[in-house]
Amino acid sequence: MSDPSSERDEAEAVPEAEVETRRRPSIVWLIPVVAALVGAFVAYRALSARGPSIVIRFETAEGLEAGKTQIKYKDVEVGVVEDVALAPDLSGVICHASMVKDAEPWLTEGTRFWVVKPRIAGGQVSGLGTLFSGSYIGVDPVREGRPVRSFRGVETPPVVTMREPGREFVLRSERGGAVEMGAPVLFRGITVGRVVSSELDATDDFVTTRIFVRAPYDLRVHAATRFWNASGIDVSMGANGVRLATQSLVSILIGGVAFETPAGAPEEAVGADAVFPLYASQSDAEERHFTHTVPYLLYFDESVRGLAIGAPVEFRGIKVGEVADVRLEFDRKAARFRIPVLVEIEPERFTDPNASDAERRATIDRLVAAGLRAQLKTGNLVTGQLIVALDMFPSARPAQVVWNAPVPEFPTVPAPLQEITANLTQLVQRLGKLPVEQIGAELRDSLAALRMTLEGTHDVGPALKTTLAEANQTLGSANALIGPDSGMDTELRRTLFELSEAARSLGLAAEQIQTQPQSLLFGKKGSQ
């Protein structure tokens, strides 16, 4: 057994540990501290580099994918789509996107967004690169304007970006024709711009077309510049033959607008958004136009077949206006139909442009008093189109312009063929009214009275008897010649009948020539 005292001595001989408090932290704690600092720094950098969040509304989500679809400007990523959801009213989709910090200055109300994908429009092919890389959102940044964070994306890419140098102009016409967005704007056959938009005006009955002309070609547009529809092929026929005009192959296929300034016109500068008329063709644009027109009402009794709205009103071959309307009117007092034709005359073509309305009226009154009249004439023998011709007719019946009517009424004269037909008809009617039978009866009575007088004379010589016999024989021959059953009476009736038939045939022929003038070249329809 061991001695307890010895064990106690050994325990007392072992030294005691002393506890000391450390004044500095352990190096082990540096690891989580450094990790926390790095995380905070990364979070700070991420938050400081993060740009504003925006909302873009599109019609559909075609080509959009959350977390993948990028927003690019000049092929540089400036944002990314974070979420795509349906709009609350189901009218489209709402795209939430995060932009880079540098994008904040140009997130204004003028900035536009659109989905870039393969497109063929306006004679141009775009977005072919997205066939392999996928669709993305394009942006046209604008620094000017009020800052916003909600945008409505456009469904088609803008034809012209805001930063492209040049100016926009406004064209107005009664109809848009083939001028559509993206169509080229041509100057002397060279494409110098594009059609930005073409839409019906909300307040007036005309089409508003906005075009963009690149610099420096926009300086070619002056106050006297004329724009026309260069779509398709312009074919016209004149004294020099058939004229074929076109601007380019692209304008034939998709349409376009061309412009030119007339030679000698003042080069007066215009600003952006200046308004110009859009003419239907180059020939219409080259024609001299006046802004002041005066309406007149013309009444015709003959057929107006072939007279269409827009037909020219000419004075000795020079256009001075055009037909605005053709109607049919029943005159209750005269119990007959009349055809009122409304024309618009440009008085500046034949009067002083600086003259007042009263002076122009006085000039027109003097011309009408001298024989100025309106008349229907054939403008084209092939198509049968009619025109309204103004000319001097000194032998015309006196007439004057009815200025106090709702629309001034201008005097007219019949067409030449109608006048000839009317004169022949009157001649036949007068010949038919001759009392042929009465004339023959009176002549027989006179001859009988003369014979009785001669027979009552007893103291006449043989010569007188011979003369009386000869006279009696002559009277018998005359009676047989002009009697009711005589050959002369029959021939006279036949001649009058044939003359009447000839006049009627001439009237029918004149009417056909007037309504179908092409029959002079190709014959009557249906004839072999």
Side-chain angles (χ1 to χ4, degrees), residues 98-410:
S98 176
M99 306 295 294
V100 298
K101 187 176 181 180
D102 295 339
E104 187 170 359
W106 46 262
L107 292 176
T108 63
E109 55 187 354
T111 299
R112 295 174 291 180
F113 295 88
W114 67 94
V115 178
V116 179
K117 54 187 176 181
R119 300 177 187 269
I120 300 177
Q124 294 181 330
V125 179
S126 61
L128 291 181
T130 60
L131 291 174
F132 304 98
S133 62
S135 301
Y136 63 90
I137 297 178
V139 57
D140 180 22
V142 177
R143 292 181 177 273
E144 296 77 14
R146 180 174 56 89
V148 294
R149 293 295 182 265
S150 180
F151 302 88
R152 178 174 290 274
V154 295
E155 296 305 312
T156 57
V159 177
V160 180
T161 60
M162 293 297 181
R163 294 185 174 274
E164 187 171 358
R167 290 182 295 171
E168 287 190 3
F169 303 100
V170 179
L171 309 180
R172 289 185 176 180
S173 61
E174 293 182 357
R175 56 183 60 185
V179 180
E180 299 181 355
M181 187 179 69
V185 176
L186 306 170
F187 176 73
R188 297 180 181 177
I190 300 175
T191 301
V192 297
R194 292 284 173 181
V195 176
V196 177
S197 64
S198 183
E199 57 186 3
L200 185 65
D201 191 83
T203 58
D204 297 299
D205 294 333
F206 56 82
V207 177
T208 299
T209 302
R210 298 187 68 89
I211 64 171
F212 177 82
V213 181
R214 299 193 307 269
Y217 301 103
D218 59 331
L219 300 178
R220 297 278 188 170
V221 179
H222 306 288
T225 300
R226 296 184 179 180
F227 295 82
W228 66 87
N229 191 331
S231 305
I233 301 174
D234 184 12
V235 181
S236 60
M237 180 181 298
N240 297 326
V242 179
R243 178 187 177 188
L244 182 67
T246 182
Q247 294 293 325
S248 66
L249 180 60
V250 176
S251 65
I252 295 177
L253 298 177
I254 65 171
V257 174
F259 69 92
E260 184 64 84
T261 302
E267 296 184 355
E268 182 181 351
V270 294
D273 295 330
V275 181
F276 296 88
L278 178 61
Y279 296 100
S281 63
Q282 183 177 0
S283 58
D284 192 19
E286 292 175 349
E287 182 182 356
R288 187 179 180 185
H289 291 267
F290 296 91
T291 57
H292 181 63
T293 60
V294 178
Y296 290 94
L297 203 58
L298 313 177
Y299 285 98
F300 295 100
D301 295 328
E302 65 263 33
S303 173
V304 294
R305 183 178 182 182
L307 183 66
I309 296 177
V313 178
E314 298 181 353
F315 178 77
R316 296 182 178 178
I318 300 176
K319 183 179 178 181
V320 295
E322 63 180 23
V323 176
D325 190 21
V326 180
R327 293 174 294 170
L328 183 63
E329 181 181 284
F330 181 72
D331 188 355
R332 295 183 179 274
K333 295 182 179 180
R336 66 187 181 95
F337 286 97
R338 297 192 304 175
I339 302 177
V341 177
L342 180 65
V343 298
E344 293 181 349
I345 305 297
E346 298 173 348
E348 296 174 344
R349 292 185 179 271
F350 50 89
T351 59
D352 185 5
N354 299 322
S356 62
D357 292 340
E359 293 173 342
R360 290 174 180 170
R361 285 192 176 188
T363 301
I364 294 176
D365 286 336
R366 288 196 299 269
L367 292 174
V368 170
L372 180 63
R373 300 290 187 273
Q375 186 183 60
L376 291 178
K377 285 188 177 181
T378 301
N380 193 313
L381 291 175
V382 177
T383 61
Q385 293 180 347
L386 295 180
I387 65 171
V388 176
L390 298 177
D391 207 339
M392 303 301 295
F393 298 88
S395 59
R397 295 180 180 179
Q400 59 184 0
V401 180
V402 183
W403 296 106
N404 57 358
V407 178
E409 299 178 6
F410 199 88

